[in-house]
Amino acid sequence: MKQQNTKQKILDASLDFFSKHGYSGASIRQIAREVGVRESAIYNHYKSKEEIFNSILDEFKTRTITTKILSDDLLDDLVNPEKFLKHFAARLIDHWNSPDERKFIRLLLMEQFTKIGSRELSVTEHLTELRSICKMIFGEMAKHGVIKEIDPELLAEEFTAQLFFIRTELLSSDNPEKIKFVHEKVSRHVEFFWNGIKA
Amino acid sequence: MKQQNTKQKILDASLDFFSKHGYSGASIRQIAREVGVRESAIYNHYKSKEEIFNSILDEFKTRTITTKILSDDLLDDLVNPEKFLKHFAARLIDHWNSPDERKFIRLLLMEQFTKIGSRELSVTEHLTELRSICKMIFGEMAKHGVIKEIDPELLAEEFTAQLFFIRTELLSSDNPEKIKFVHEKVSRHVEFFWNGIKA
DNA sequence: AGCCCTAATGAACACTCGTTCACAATATAA
DNA sequence: TTATATTGTGAACGAGTGTTCATTAGGGCT
């Protein structure tokens, strides 16, 4: 019958159900129904429910945000650091607002403490790349003397924690108005943050 | 046989299992075994699993932090605002580090998006009281001219978001060394925050 | 003493769960 | 076209799920 299609459909449907009901709350039969197949067919592609879960984790672990967030046109804004930070944050929020990212972060928040998730899921680890990007940015800003002399690592943590917190507010509803509200909040955060660190 | 004891034991055991495996991952039989009773006895005290869950929510909803955090001896520190904020934050972290609070916030993070939790569980709502306390504090500080003129509500959000984020790092392990590490992190956060807002 | 009421029991209910298996249908390669 | 490997089906498995119920045990009351 159909081929590679089904395997990806299983992954998509699983991420959807896992993020809605949690790992143990989602069932193979629900997933199979969503894919349009009997539950036994699932096991032609994955040998267990846990393997599906781990495959989702693997997929998101290899994803990178740097190329998506730090495009050339954005780096041009570096001459105006506040404007740069605002664009940077806005782009990050938009990225986090994509359906897959929303589902994954829900899964991350839900399963990070359970037996199945605690081996590989951690918010801190998930933010590692973002933090190192920010650390680099603030390091450069400090080098050019546009901000006060503050440990770039601390700056990165302060900057990203608030963004991540705002992000969780995005997750509660699918209301499209919400994203405007979130962007305004992010904008205020960047302004406050910038006023606290500018030289 | 025994009386009121069992009802509270059910609540305690349920919070423990819910916070470890999630609502759907925890079973009535596990809970009953932990309490030391057969599963059918549970239904003499609660009419369903969902009612146990709601009872837990009710208990934590009526809890108040103001009296625990804002004691008189702490308010004496208000003459030194930075010192006050450090003590305030440290006391908050200690409160959040208590076993019950740790379990509840895990439950909150896990179930906030599921069908069972989405009706009553929200991080934002859970932080409402803390935010209003902070808003009041920063409002007073602004009135006395010890900090810059910034919207107290924004200050409250910026201050608490980082604390809440640090809190989640507390949840991952029961390592008692962790709490020292967290306190150092909180201390640095308060210093950074204070330097950004002081007049 | 007897009575009531709460609480605990153990068996059973009707499901749902993840997973397996023999088998059939299809797509691909020869 | 035939052979083969892949992907699907339907039924079944043992175990676990939340919940109900008739029955029993025990403490507090008159």
Side-chain angles (χ1 to χ4, degrees):
Chain A
M1 310 210 167
K2 292 175 193 172
Q3 49 221 38
Q4 199 70 8
N5 211 352
T6 301
K7 186 155 189 170
Q8 186 58 43
K9 273 161 113 181
I10 293 172
L11 231 52
D12 293 342
S14 298
L15 176 59
D16 196 59
F17 278 105
F18 286 163
S19 73
K20 273 179 186 150
H21 311 105
Y23 176 79
S24 64
S27 81
I28 295 286
R29 281 174 178 80
Q30 280 181 308
I31 293 166
R33 200 178 310 127
E34 179 74 14
V35 172
V37 118
R38 293 291 106 82
E39 64 267 20
S40 51
I42 300 280
Y43 293 87
N44 285 323
H45 303 275
Y46 299 94
K47 74 179 217 290
S48 66
K49 186 183 181 185
E50 190 167 345
E51 194 184 79
I52 300 178
F53 182 79
N54 288 327
S55 293
I56 292 176
L57 262 51
D58 289 343
E59 189 182 318
F60 278 86
K61 254 192 183 163
T62 59
R63 288 197 183 180
T64 298
I65 59 167
T66 308
T67 52
K68 284 190 182 176
I69 310 290
L70 275 188
S71 61
D72 290 342
D73 61 314
L74 196 145
L75 287 168
D76 292 341
D77 287 339
L78 259 173
V79 291
N80 182 342
E82 185 181 6
K83 189 177 163 195
F84 169 82
L85 287 178
K86 276 199 180 182
H87 283 185
F88 178 78
R91 206 172 280 203
L92 188 63
I93 291 295
D94 282 338
H95 172 250
W96 279 344
N97 195 41
S98 74
D100 268 15
E101 283 291 325
R102 289 173 51 129
K103 287 174 190 172
F104 181 72
I105 190 62
R106 277 210 286 255
L107 187 59
L108 171 57
L109 290 176
M110 287 192 330
E111 298 297 335
Q112 61 184 321
F113 308 120
T114 65
K115 205 170 143 202
I116 179 95
S118 62
R119 285 173 292 115
E120 308 204 56
L121 280 173
S122 117
V123 171
T124 305
E125 196 181 327
H126 181 252
L127 290 177
T128 302
E129 189 194 1
L130 175 63
R131 276 187 169 154
S132 78
I133 294 174
C134 289
K135 183 181 171 183
M136 188 201 68
I137 291 170
F138 292 125
E140 286 300 310
M141 286 183 178
K143 197 185 289 177
H144 290 77
V146 296
I147 60 173
K148 297 174 189 167
E149 274 193 28
I150 310 176
D151 177 20
E153 194 143 355
L154 175 63
L155 287 176
E157 283 183 21
E158 293 282 336
F159 187 68
T160 55
Q162 178 74 24
L163 291 178
F164 186 80
F165 187 86
I166 292 174
R167 173 190 193 173
T168 65
E169 289 192 322
L170 258 179
L171 299 171
S172 316
S173 81
D174 286 301
N175 187 344
E177 292 289 321
K178 200 107 185 181
I179 185 68
K180 290 201 69 173
F181 170 72
V182 165
H183 268 123
E184 286 164 17
K185 212 164 182 178
V186 166
S187 185
R188 283 201 301 278
H189 164 60
V190 174
E191 280 169 27
F192 169 80
F193 187 79
W194 173 250
N195 285 328
I197 67 167
K198 68 181 174 189
Chain B
M1 310 214 167
K2 291 176 191 170
Q3 48 221 40
Q4 199 69 7
N5 210 352
T6 301
K7 186 155 189 170
Q8 186 58 46
K9 272 160 111 181
I10 294 172
L11 230 53
D12 293 343
S14 297
L15 176 59
D16 197 58
F17 278 105
F18 286 163
S19 73
K20 273 179 186 149
H21 312 104
Y23 176 79
S24 65
S27 82
I28 295 286
R29 282 174 177 80
Q30 280 181 309
I31 293 166
R33 200 178 310 126
E34 179 74 14
V35 172
V37 116
R38 293 290 104 83
E39 64 268 20
S40 51
I42 300 280
Y43 292 88
N44 285 322
H45 303 275
Y46 299 94
K47 74 179 216 290
S48 67
K49 186 184 181 182
E50 190 167 345
E51 194 184 77
I52 301 177
F53 182 79
N54 287 327
S55 294
I56 292 175
L57 261 52
D58 288 344
E59 189 183 317
F60 278 85
K61 252 189 184 168
T62 59
R63 287 197 185 181
T64 298
I65 59 168
T66 308
T67 52
K68 283 189 182 177
I69 309 291
L70 274 188
S71 60
D72 291 342
D73 62 313
L74 196 145
L75 287 169
D76 292 343
D77 287 339
L78 259 173
V79 291
N80 183 341
E82 185 181 6
K83 189 178 164 196
F84 169 82
L85 287 178
K86 276 201 179 180
H87 283 184
F88 178 78
R91 205 173 281 201
L92 188 64
I93 292 294
D94 282 338
H95 173 250
W96 279 344
N97 195 42
S98 73
D100 268 16
E101 282 291 326
R102 289 172 51 130
K103 287 174 190 170
F104 181 72
I105 190 62
R106 277 210 286 253
L107 187 59
L108 170 58
L109 290 176
M110 287 191 330
E111 298 296 335
Q112 62 183 321
F113 307 121
T114 66
K115 206 171 143 203
I116 180 94
S118 61
R119 285 173 292 114
E120 307 204 57
L121 279 173
S122 117
V123 171
T124 305
E125 196 181 326
H126 181 250
L127 290 177
T128 301
E129 189 194 0
L130 174 64
R131 274 184 170 158
S132 77
I133 295 174
C134 289
K135 184 181 170 184
M136 188 199 69
I137 291 170
F138 293 125
E140 287 298 312
M141 286 183 177
K143 198 185 291 177
H144 290 76
V146 295
I147 61 173
K148 296 173 189 167
E149 274 193 29
I150 311 175
D151 177 20
E153 195 143 356
L154 175 63
L155 288 176
E157 282 182 23
E158 292 282 335
F159 187 67
T160 56
Q162 178 74 26
L163 291 179
F164 186 80
F165 188 86
I166 293 174
R167 173 189 193 174
T168 64
E169 288 193 322
L170 258 178
L171 298 171
S172 317
S173 80
D174 287 301
N175 187 345
E177 293 288 320
K178 200 109 184 180
I179 185 66
K180 290 202 68 172
F181 170 72
V182 166
H183 268 123
E184 285 163 18
K185 213 164 182 179
V186 166
S187 184
R188 282 200 302 278
H189 164 59
V190 174
E191 281 169 27
F192 168 79
F193 187 79
W194 174 250
N195 284 329
I197 67 167
K198 67 181 175 189

